Amino acid sequence: MASYVFKRLLLMIPTLLGIMLVSFVIIQFVPGGPVERMIAELQGHSTSATARFGGSSAGEMGATGIQSTTGQGSKYRGAQGLDPEFIAELEALYGFDKPAHERFFLMARNYLHFDLGQSYYRDIDVLELVLEKMPVSISLGLWSTLIIYLISIPLGIKKAVRDGTHFDIWTSAAIFIGYAIPSFMFAILLIVVFAGGRYFDLFPLRGLTSDNWEEMGPIQLALDYMWHMALPIAAMVISGFASLTMLTKNSFLDEIGKQYVLTARAKGLAEKQVLYGHVFRNAMLIVIAGFPAAFVHIFFTGSLLIEVIFSLDGLGLLGYESIINRDYPVVLGTLYFYGLIGLVMTLIRDIVYVMVDPRIDFEARQV
């Protein structure tokens, strides 16, 4: 297993390189950029990214993004009347004085050392910024995924044992109704009902901690954290039960009908011993395989609107604001961490596979 883990770790390098290459190429077609934003500010216009004259399909980008094409025949919007030397200084400031391929290879070399560059507008190192925001998103994703698993697995097992009964029918109806409710709509409902919107004022409306958190002890901090996270997590888990519950149920139903289960029952083993001593290990393999995907899905996409609604300053909100502001070092830095977390979670899944069923040997397979 050790050699397999080592090979997978080595394969992460070209995989991350491919992810960054695709991201870099896609971002070439994003219009606008930091130079145009700076020009707009100097001209007293909106600081939102603006388009270019001449119908160019690609904007400009900084040291880790879109190539600038401000030579003859191509002008920045609003740049008329500005000193060309000043425009050249702006381009050099954001790295436009280098060709696109040089910027990409420089970015790739720096990223291998976790040097993600500087944010254009926050005046802070991107790595420091990402690490600052990451605990919020990880908290949302991890707690939501754990709660979904802790509820869905026992529920799926019970539905498999009581397949076709009234319990199976009404629980299926309930989880599919929850699946049909968008997380952001349920978040708004929770705010209206429980966060002072109309009925009760039991939970805070925004933020991760209270204003006096520095004065709290360890237990108070934990309770305050749970108090602030209760509504966001509830909003994220409401639609996460259906697929995992049905997956668990179908996995157990498939295993229960196999010959080894009939043999175990024929030997006089108790139903719980058959279910948890024989069926559980085999049926849980496919459920475990879905854990990284479930976590990554919630971590990447599920938390964005929740972070916005509850004013939680995490990676989802950071990535969204960075795209809007054309802060490309932050955009690519967050994508790099997203890719890294996804690869690590996939490796953890394989390791857990072996822990659950030692018969699995990844080293015997070609990586």
Side-chain angles (χ1 to χ4, degrees), residues 43-324:
Q43 298 292 350
H45 302 304
S46 172
T47 59
S48 61
T50 55
R52 299 175 59 92
F53 283 122
S56 174
S57 63
E60 84 292 37
M61 186 175 172
T64 57
I66 298 178
Q67 181 180 0
S68 173
T69 57
T70 61
Q72 298 180 354
S74 179
K75 298 291 185 180
Y76 291 105
R77 173 175 293 181
Q80 291 81 358
L82 294 179
D83 188 351
E85 293 185 0
F86 174 72
I87 300 298
E89 290 178 0
L90 282 179
E91 292 179 331
L93 176 64
Y94 294 112
F96 299 137
D97 55 336
K98 298 183 180 65
H101 68 278
E102 288 187 14
R103 294 199 302 273
F104 174 75
F105 286 115
L106 177 62
M107 178 190 72
R109 185 186 65 184
N110 292 337
Y111 274 30
L112 290 177
H113 302 88
F114 285 93
D115 179 8
L116 308 184
Q118 292 286 125
S119 170
Y120 288 158
Y121 306 109
R122 298 174 184 259
D123 194 25
I124 186 175
D125 185 79
V126 175
L127 177 61
E128 181 180 346
L129 184 62
V130 170
L131 293 178
E132 177 185 339
K133 310 299 183 183
M134 185 175 290
V136 176
S137 297
I138 288 182
S139 296
L140 287 172
L142 185 60
W143 285 116
S144 300
T145 306
L146 288 177
I147 291 174
I148 289 173
Y149 266 70
L150 288 175
I151 296 177
S152 296
I153 291 177
L155 180 60
I157 295 174
K158 191 169 184 179
K159 285 173 65 64
V161 174
R162 303 179 63 177
D163 182 42
T165 64
H166 290 293
F167 173 83
D168 181 37
I169 296 173
W170 73 259
T171 52
S172 295
I175 63 175
F176 279 110
I177 290 174
Y179 182 75
I181 300 176
S183 296
F184 71 92
M185 290 293 295
F186 190 65
I188 296 174
L189 175 64
L190 291 176
I191 291 175
V192 172
V193 177
F194 297 108
R198 183 177 294 270
Y199 300 99
F200 305 102
D201 190 8
L202 303 178
F203 294 93
L205 180 60
R206 59 174 55 90
L208 195 60
T209 57
S210 300
D211 295 335
N212 61 335
W213 67 274
E214 296 180 349
E215 304 173 1
M216 298 180 182
I219 297 179
Q220 291 177 314
L221 281 174
L223 293 176
D224 184 70
Y225 170 79
M226 295 171 60
W227 184 46
H228 282 79
M229 292 291 287
L231 294 187
I233 291 177
M236 293 181 66
V237 303
I238 184 64
S239 61
F241 297 115
S243 58
L244 182 60
T245 301
M246 300 308 297
L247 177 64
T248 304
K249 174 189 173 181
N250 293 333
S251 297
F252 272 79
L253 284 176
D254 183 61
E255 293 294 326
I256 287 174
K258 291 184 177 180
Q259 184 62 42
Y260 73 91
V261 176
L262 299 177
T263 303
R265 287 172 175 170
K267 291 182 178 179
L269 296 179
E271 188 64 23
K272 287 187 177 181
Q273 189 175 358
V274 173
L275 189 63
Y276 294 101
H278 294 76
V279 176
F280 186 82
R281 173 179 293 181
N282 295 325
M284 285 300 295
L285 286 176
I286 190 172
V287 177
I288 292 173
F291 180 85
F295 173 77
V296 170
H297 173 73
I298 294 176
F299 181 75
F300 286 176
T301 59
S303 63
L304 173 57
L305 291 176
I306 300 301
E307 289 179 9
V308 174
I309 292 173
F310 290 97
S311 299
L312 301 175
D313 197 7
L315 278 181
L317 183 59
L318 173 66
Y320 174 75
E321 292 178 346
S322 301
I323 293 174
I324 297 299

Side-chain angles (χ1 to χ4, degrees), residues 335-362:
L335 287 174
Y336 178 76
F337 266 86
Y338 284 156
L340 182 61
I341 290 173
L343 292 172
V344 171
M345 291 302 299
T346 304
L347 178 59
I348 292 175
R349 177 201 63 184
D350 293 343
I351 295 175
V352 175
Y353 259 143
V354 177
M355 295 174 60
V356 174
D357 190 350
R359 295 172 299 175
I360 297 177
D361 185 9
F362 288 106

Side-chain angles (χ1 to χ4, degrees), residues 35-43 76-79 82 87:
V35 172
E36 290 184 343
R37 288 177 58 85
M38 182 64 68
I39 292 174
E41 291 181 5
L42 293 174
Q43 298 292 350
Y76 291 105
R77 173 175 293 181
L82 294 179
I87 300 298

